[in-house]
Amino acid sequence: MMKKWLDKLWLLAESKGARRTLATVSFTESIFFPLPPDLLLIPMALANRKQAFRLAAICLFSSLLGGILGYYVGYFFMDLLGMPIIRFYGFDDKYLVIKEWYDTYDAWAVAAAGLTPIPYKLCTLTAGAFRIDLLVFIVASTLSRGVRFFTIAGLIYLFGDRARYFLEKRFDLILLGTLILGIAGFVAIAFLE
């Protein structure tokens, strides 16, 4: 089953609309979509190593645009749109804890969400709702998301064929690891006091 899924990712990575799909996933993941763009960035960069940094830039730019939209959704429409998204992911009881994070850590809380498995969508919505300075939000998001996406691109650029071989042979472990990191982010939020 994993082999079929990997084959589909390779086909998508080499398809005509792959960049558009990558941009869409990166944009929507910043607001509501559950899957991280890394799951597309990796096979796309492996399929065309010379484009790895350009693909990382697409992820970063799209993610930032989505993040800014998420910020404004939180700023203007938190009750109407933002809270249903937060409730969907089961974070409604952590809403005020996140406010404390912002009060205490400001840009570092934004950077942590952009770089770690903590869901970035939670960061974007609450940053707007709690009126974090927009420029601070953009700079912290740019730095953290940039490090994340460009590190992936750099590793693929440096280790291209070996990385692809490893991915094909150990895809089930990589997928499991990615899922565990994603779940760990959700669990970390769930256990906040």
Side-chain angles (χ1 to χ4, degrees), residues 8-29:
K8 286 182 183 183
L9 278 177
W10 290 129
L11 286 173
L12 176 63
E14 295 170 345
S15 71
K16 241 183 176 180
R19 289 183 182 194
R20 231 182 339 238
T21 302
L22 180 64
T24 301
V25 168
S26 299
F27 180 85
T28 58
E29 184 266 342

Side-chain angles (χ1 to χ4, degrees), residues 11-147:
L11 286 173
L12 176 63
E14 295 170 345
S15 71
K16 241 183 176 180
R19 289 183 182 194
R20 231 182 339 238
T21 302
L22 180 64
T24 301
V25 168
S26 299
F27 180 85
T28 58
E29 184 266 342
S30 299
I31 307 163
F32 64 87
F33 195 66
L35 298 177
D38 313 60
L39 291 177
L40 286 177
L41 174 61
I42 292 168
M44 288 178 67
L46 286 169
N48 190 350
R49 233 169 91 193
K50 292 178 182 175
Q51 296 293 314
F53 294 107
R54 181 172 288 182
L55 295 168
I58 290 170
C59 276
L60 176 60
F61 182 72
S62 302
S63 180
L64 288 174
L65 287 178
I68 292 168
L69 179 60
Y71 177 94
Y72 281 116
V73 166
Y75 196 95
F76 293 109
F77 305 107
M78 192 61 183
D79 291 335
L80 180 65
L81 299 173
M83 285 309 292
I85 294 169
I86 287 177
R87 278 188 207 103
F88 175 80
Y89 287 105
F91 298 142
D92 47 325
D93 60 331
K94 306 303 179 199
Y95 185 72
L96 293 177
V97 175
I98 293 166
K99 182 178 184 342
E100 289 177 28
W101 276 15
Y102 285 132
D103 291 344
T104 305
Y105 304 110
D106 199 34
W108 292 109
V110 175
L115 189 58
T116 66
I118 293 171
Y120 184 58
K121 63 196 78 20
L122 182 60
C123 169
T124 66
L125 296 167
T126 56
F130 298 134
R131 308 301 197 255
I132 298 298
D133 182 81
L134 180 60
L135 184 59
V136 168
F137 171 78
I138 291 171
V139 169
S141 291
T142 301
L143 293 175
S144 62
R145 300 298 267 186
V147 166

